[in-house]
Amino acid sequence: MTLRNDWTRNEIQALYDQPFLDLVFQAQQVHRQYFSANTIQVSTLLSIKTGKCPEDCKYCSQSARYDSKLEAEKRIAVEKVISEAKAAKESGSSRFCMGAAWRNPHERDMPYVLEMVREVKALGMETCMTLGMLNQSQADRLYDAGLDYYNHNLDTSREYYSNIISTRTFDDRLNTLDHVRNAGMKVCSGGIVGLGEDKQDRIGLLYELATLPIHPESVPINMLVPIEGTPLADVEKLEVTEWIRTIAVARIIMPQSYIRLSAGRESLSDSDQALAFMAGANSLFSGDKLLTTPNAGEGRDQQLFAKLGLVAEKPKVSVREMAVDAMSA
Ligand code: SF4
C-alpha cells in the first residue's frame, strides 16, 4: 500500500462503512505491512502547568470558563519534570510528553520550556510538548532545543469545530501544524470521538488528517471522558465500536503513522483494548493520569501487555542525533 494524501471523503466513508470485521481485518493487514504486530510505543504525559486556560474547549476540565473543580497549578519546577521523566523511562516509556494549559506559550515561558526539552532529551528519551498555538520562531527554538514531537490536535471535523471551540479556528490549528513541520519537528495530531458529533464528523476529522501534506507521525484517537462542570458532561456516550472503526480507518489511510490510544482508554475492558490493537492502534499513554483525566495505570498496562504478548518499543535515535554521533566519531 502506497502512502497517499489525496484521499477523498467518499473513499474514507466507504472504508468506515464496511462490515466491522472486514474493516478490522483490513486494518490489521495494513498494520503488519508497516509495523511489528506485537510492539506498542509507550509514552508518559505530564502536566507542567495545569488549569486556568483561557480557551473554551467544551470537553476540557482545564478551561477557566467551566467549574470543573480542577485544582489549578502554576508551572512546575524543571527539576520535578526531570525526576518524573527519569521514573517514566525506568518504567518503560520511550517518549516523555509535557503539556501546558496555555492558548500559546508566552515569550517569558520560552526559556523554561526550552530548558526542560534539553534536559529530558539528555536522558535519552524522545521529547514531546503540547503548549497551544506556536508561531514560527517558537517552533524553531523548540526544535533547536531538541524537541522531537509537537502535539496539536485537530479535535474534530472542520464543520463541527465551532460547536466545540469558539476561541480559535480550525485554520489556526492548521497554521501551528505548518510551523511545527517547517521547523522540522514530527507532528502528533488527532482528535476526540464522542463529542456529540455524527459519523460524518468522524470521517471529516480522518479526512483532514490524511490529506495533510505529510501525515502526522502520531495520531491520537481519544474517546471523550465526560467531566462534570464542562458543557459536554452529559453528552450521549458513543459506542466503542465507532471508536474502533475510527482507529481502523486511521490505520488504513495513514499506514505509517502511530495510532495512539489516549483519553478514554481506562474505561475500556482488556478485550476492547485488544480489539483496538487489532484495528491498528500501536501507541499509548501509560501512567495514572492523562494531564487531568484518569488513565489506565501502569500496573494494569503491564498485566495487559503480558496477557497479550505485547512488548514496549525502545526509543528511536533521530536523524539529528545520528548526524551528531557521526560528527563526533
Ligand atoms: S484542551 Fe487545551 S486549549 Fe482547550 S481548554 Fe483544555 S488546556 Fe486549554
Side-chain angles (χ1 to χ4, degrees):
M1 184 147 189
T2 48
L3 279 188
R4 288 179 51 194
N5 51 11
D6 60 352
W7 290 97
T8 65
R9 283 181 87 116
N10 284 345
E11 286 175 308
I12 295 174
Q13 170 139 20
L15 289 169
Y16 194 103
D17 284 341
Q18 290 181 83
F20 186 81
L21 295 182
D22 288 344
L23 172 58
V24 171
F25 181 64
Q26 188 184 351
Q28 178 63 204
Q29 282 179 311
V30 171
H31 185 63
R32 283 169 186 252
Q33 286 174 32
Y34 289 90
F35 291 98
S36 136
N38 301 304
T39 303
I40 305 284
Q41 189 276 326
V42 180
S43 297
T44 297
L45 179 58
L46 177 71
S47 179
I48 59 169
K49 186 263 168 187
T50 305
K52 294 214 173 120
C53 181
E55 303 284 69
D56 71 348
C57 311
K58 287 198 171 65
Y59 51 81
C60 183
S61 63
Q62 302 205 64
S63 170
R65 296 161 194 249
Y66 315 130
D67 184 17
S68 65
K69 312 272 182 291
L70 177 78
E71 219 167 288
E73 285 171 18
K74 294 211 174 95
R75 298 186 336 186
I76 68 173
V78 175
E79 302 74 59
K80 165 103 172 107
V81 176
I82 305 313
S83 72
E84 296 273 346
K86 281 185 186 153
K89 188 180 178 192
E90 270 159 33
S91 66
S93 277
S94 60
R95 190 175 310 155
F96 195 66
C97 308
M98 295 153 271
W102 289 323
R103 174 173 165 80
N104 50 267
H106 193 282
E107 274 308 307
R108 69 172 171 256
D109 295 312
M110 288 305 288
Y112 166 74
V113 292
L114 295 175
E115 184 190 350
M116 207 175 284
V117 173
R118 282 186 212 106
E119 299 226 12
V120 174
K121 189 75 186 160
L123 299 175
M125 298 186 86
E126 292 177 312
T127 51
C128 175
M129 280 188 161
T130 183
L131 312 172
M133 291 185 269
L134 295 182
N135 60 36
Q136 190 61 59
S137 149
Q138 290 171 328
D140 291 342
R141 281 175 282 159
L142 286 164
Y143 175 77
D144 289 341
L147 192 63
D148 296 301
Y149 284 81
Y150 195 77
N151 164 266
H152 202 61
N153 291 331
L154 293 182
D155 287 345
T156 187
S157 68
R158 177 182 280 279
E159 296 74 26
Y160 197 61
Y161 198 79
S162 61
N163 294 292
I164 300 299
I165 299 137
S166 73
T167 47
R168 54 172 190 259
T169 65
F170 200 79
D171 285 323
D172 289 333
R173 294 310 259 185
L174 294 176
N175 285 340
T176 291
L177 290 183
D178 267 355
H179 296 150
V180 170
R181 273 286 177 226
N182 292 340
M185 285 182 277
K186 293 184 184 138
V187 168
C188 173
S189 185
I192 311 175
V193 299
L195 297 172
E197 80 286 348
D198 63 24
K199 185 177 80 176
Q200 283 310 323
D201 296 307
R202 292 189 285 281
I203 289 165
L205 168 68
L206 290 162
Y207 168 77
E208 298 286 348
L209 292 166
T211 55
L212 287 169
I214 302 172
H215 296 160
E217 282 79 3
S218 165
V219 180
I221 306 286
N222 300 283
M223 170 88 128
L224 177 74
V225 179
I227 295 166
E228 216 184 305
T230 62
L232 294 182
D234 299 319
V235 76
E236 199 182 328
K237 194 171 178 337
L238 186 73
E239 292 270 354
V240 169
T241 48
E242 291 299 302
W243 188 18
I244 306 278
R245 277 184 188 275
T246 310
I247 290 168
V249 175
R251 164 51 64 229
I252 295 166
I253 63 180
M254 294 174 278
Q256 277 189 344
S257 304
Y258 282 79
I259 308 296
R260 174 181 300 278
L261 287 182
S262 300
R265 192 167 68 88
E266 81 295 340
S267 64
L268 289 186
S269 65
D270 285 358
S271 43
D272 282 344
Q273 290 193 59
L275 193 53
F277 297 138
M278 195 70 192
N282 62 339
S283 173
L284 50 80
F285 280 113
S286 127
D288 296 330
K289 260 189 173 182
L290 273 181
L291 292 176
T292 59
T293 53
N295 189 33
E298 266 161 36
R300 186 176 159 201
D301 285 343
Q302 276 158 7
Q303 283 172 15
L304 180 67
F305 275 38
K307 218 183 279 184
L308 301 179
L310 298 172
V311 290
E313 189 180 277
K314 300 263 176 298
K316 291 201 173 114
V317 178
S318 71
V319 174
R320 275 188 284 168
E321 282 143 41
M322 286 194 298
V324 171
D325 285 352
M327 280 191 297
S328 58

mmCIF file of all heavy atoms in Angstrom, residues 7 32 79-80 92 114 126 140 143 151 155 245 291 325:
data_model
loop_
_atom_site.group_PDB
_atom_site.id
_atom_site.type_symbol
_atom_site.label_atom_id
_atom_site.label_comp_id
_atom_site.label_asym_id
_atom_site.label_seq_id
_atom_site.Cartn_x
_atom_site.Cartn_y
_atom_site.Cartn_z
ATOM 1 N N TRP A 7 -6.712 11.353 -0.330
ATOM 2 C CA TRP A 7 -7.934 10.609 -0.011
ATOM 3 C C TRP A 7 -9.166 11.499 -0.189
ATOM 4 O O TRP A 7 -9.118 12.692 0.136
ATOM 5 C CB TRP A 7 -7.893 10.133 1.450
ATOM 6 C CG TRP A 7 -6.887 9.060 1.704
ATOM 7 C CD1 TRP A 7 -5.630 9.232 2.194
ATOM 8 C CD2 TRP A 7 -7.050 7.666 1.478
ATOM 9 N NE1 TRP A 7 -4.988 8.018 2.282
ATOM 10 C CE2 TRP A 7 -5.847 7.036 1.852
ATOM 11 C CE3 TRP A 7 -8.091 6.869 0.980
ATOM 12 C CZ2 TRP A 7 -5.656 5.658 1.755
ATOM 13 C CZ3 TRP A 7 -7.909 5.492 0.890
ATOM 14 C CH2 TRP A 7 -6.701 4.906 1.269
ATOM 15 N N ARG A 32 0.399 -4.740 9.573
ATOM 16 C CA ARG A 32 1.525 -5.684 9.524
ATOM 17 C C ARG A 32 2.491 -5.383 8.379
ATOM 18 O O ARG A 32 3.616 -5.873 8.379
ATOM 19 C CB ARG A 32 1.004 -7.126 9.430
ATOM 20 C CG ARG A 32 0.508 -7.610 10.753
ATOM 21 C CD ARG A 32 -0.258 -8.901 10.692
ATOM 22 N NE ARG A 32 -0.799 -9.181 12.021
ATOM 23 C CZ ARG A 32 -0.357 -10.140 12.831
ATOM 24 N NH1 ARG A 32 0.603 -10.955 12.439
ATOM 25 N NH2 ARG A 32 -0.879 -10.300 14.022
ATOM 26 N N GLU A 79 13.213 20.694 37.769
ATOM 27 C CA GLU A 79 13.799 19.511 38.446
ATOM 28 C C GLU A 79 12.737 18.435 38.661
ATOM 29 O O GLU A 79 13.002 17.239 38.533
ATOM 30 C CB GLU A 79 14.375 19.864 39.828
ATOM 31 C CG GLU A 79 15.444 20.930 39.864
ATOM 32 C CD GLU A 79 14.890 22.326 39.653
ATOM 33 O OE1 GLU A 79 14.045 22.722 40.449
ATOM 34 O OE2 GLU A 79 15.288 23.002 38.677
ATOM 35 N N LYS A 80 11.518 18.870 38.968
ATOM 36 C CA LYS A 80 10.432 17.906 39.199
ATOM 37 C C LYS A 80 10.103 17.183 37.876
ATOM 38 O O LYS A 80 9.886 15.961 37.848
ATOM 39 C CB LYS A 80 9.213 18.686 39.731
ATOM 40 C CG LYS A 80 7.908 17.977 39.718
ATOM 41 C CD LYS A 80 7.544 17.488 41.123
ATOM 42 C CE LYS A 80 6.125 16.935 41.157
ATOM 43 N NZ LYS A 80 6.029 15.523 41.256
ATOM 44 N N GLY A 92 9.619 2.055 31.404
ATOM 45 C CA GLY A 92 9.473 1.544 30.036
ATOM 46 C C GLY A 92 8.961 2.541 29.012
ATOM 47 O O GLY A 92 8.723 2.166 27.861
ATOM 48 N N LEU A 114 12.265 25.510 27.038
ATOM 49 C CA LEU A 114 13.450 25.095 26.278
ATOM 50 C C LEU A 114 14.431 24.334 27.172
ATOM 51 O O LEU A 114 15.003 23.314 26.770
ATOM 52 C CB LEU A 114 14.138 26.317 25.649
ATOM 53 C CG LEU A 114 13.306 27.064 24.589
ATOM 54 C CD1 LEU A 114 14.020 28.325 24.124
ATOM 55 C CD2 LEU A 114 13.001 26.173 23.389
ATOM 56 N N GLU A 126 12.718 10.332 23.855
ATOM 57 C CA GLU A 126 12.119 11.224 22.865
ATOM 58 C C GLU A 126 11.301 12.259 23.635
ATOM 59 O O GLU A 126 10.724 11.959 24.675
ATOM 60 C CB GLU A 126 11.194 10.454 21.936
ATOM 61 C CG GLU A 126 11.926 9.482 21.038
ATOM 62 C CD GLU A 126 10.965 8.683 20.197
ATOM 63 O OE1 GLU A 126 9.975 8.143 20.743
ATOM 64 O OE2 GLU A 126 11.202 8.585 18.990
ATOM 65 N N ASP A 140 10.729 26.983 15.874
ATOM 66 C CA ASP A 140 12.146 26.810 15.510
ATOM 67 C C ASP A 140 13.012 26.636 16.760
ATOM 68 O O ASP A 140 13.911 25.795 16.806
ATOM 69 C CB ASP A 140 12.654 28.038 14.727
ATOM 70 C CG ASP A 140 12.029 28.118 13.341
ATOM 71 O OD1 ASP A 140 11.502 27.090 12.860
ATOM 72 O OD2 ASP A 140 12.054 29.218 12.747
ATOM 73 N N TYR A 143 12.548 23.201 18.290
ATOM 74 C CA TYR A 143 13.273 22.200 17.508
ATOM 75 C C TYR A 143 14.778 22.251 17.826
ATOM 76 O O TYR A 143 15.417 21.223 18.066
ATOM 77 C CB TYR A 143 13.049 22.441 16.012
ATOM 78 C CG TYR A 143 13.857 21.513 15.146
ATOM 79 C CD1 TYR A 143 13.473 20.187 14.960
ATOM 80 C CD2 TYR A 143 15.030 21.952 14.531
ATOM 81 C CE1 TYR A 143 14.231 19.323 14.168
ATOM 82 C CE2 TYR A 143 15.789 21.097 13.744
ATOM 83 C CZ TYR A 143 15.381 19.784 13.579
ATOM 84 O OH TYR A 143 16.144 18.934 12.819
ATOM 85 N N ASN A 151 2.547 18.089 19.880
ATOM 86 C CA ASN A 151 1.153 17.634 19.810
ATOM 87 C C ASN A 151 0.221 18.832 19.646
ATOM 88 O O ASN A 151 0.298 19.809 20.399
ATOM 89 C CB ASN A 151 0.774 16.865 21.083
ATOM 90 C CG ASN A 151 -0.743 16.742 21.182
ATOM 91 O OD1 ASN A 151 -1.397 17.565 21.815
ATOM 92 N ND2 ASN A 151 -1.309 15.748 20.534
ATOM 93 N N ASP A 155 -8.894 17.833 16.809
ATOM 94 C CA ASP A 155 -10.075 17.577 17.652
ATOM 95 C C ASP A 155 -11.257 16.948 16.923
ATOM 96 O O ASP A 155 -11.737 15.890 17.300
ATOM 97 C CB ASP A 155 -10.553 18.849 18.375
ATOM 98 C CG ASP A 155 -9.611 19.228 19.502
ATOM 99 O OD1 ASP A 155 -8.792 18.388 19.901
ATOM 100 O OD2 ASP A 155 -9.678 20.367 19.981
ATOM 101 N N ARG A 245 -13.836 1.690 14.854
ATOM 102 C CA ARG A 245 -13.896 1.971 13.405
ATOM 103 C C ARG A 245 -13.001 3.160 13.048
ATOM 104 O O ARG A 245 -12.291 3.151 12.037
ATOM 105 C CB ARG A 245 -15.331 2.312 12.984
ATOM 106 C CG ARG A 245 -16.211 1.121 12.732
ATOM 107 C CD ARG A 245 -17.576 1.574 12.217
ATOM 108 N NE ARG A 245 -18.486 0.446 12.161
ATOM 109 C CZ ARG A 245 -18.562 -0.400 11.140
ATOM 110 N NH1 ARG A 245 -17.813 -0.219 10.072
ATOM 111 N NH2 ARG A 245 -19.394 -1.432 11.176
ATOM 112 N N LEU A 291 -2.837 14.195 31.693
ATOM 113 C CA LEU A 291 -2.995 15.590 32.107
ATOM 114 C C LEU A 291 -3.898 15.642 33.325
ATOM 115 O O LEU A 291 -3.431 15.578 34.436
ATOM 116 C CB LEU A 291 -3.513 16.464 30.954
ATOM 117 C CG LEU A 291 -2.511 16.638 29.817
ATOM 118 C CD1 LEU A 291 -3.102 17.437 28.659
ATOM 119 C CD2 LEU A 291 -1.220 17.309 30.259
ATOM 120 N N ASP A 325 26.320 12.058 16.251
ATOM 121 C CA ASP A 325 27.184 10.914 16.583
ATOM 122 C C ASP A 325 28.261 10.737 15.522
ATOM 123 O O ASP A 325 29.422 10.504 15.822
ATOM 124 C CB ASP A 325 26.353 9.624 16.662
ATOM 125 C CG ASP A 325 25.543 9.599 17.946
ATOM 126 O OD1 ASP A 325 25.766 10.477 18.791
ATOM 127 O OD2 ASP A 325 24.676 8.718 18.074
#
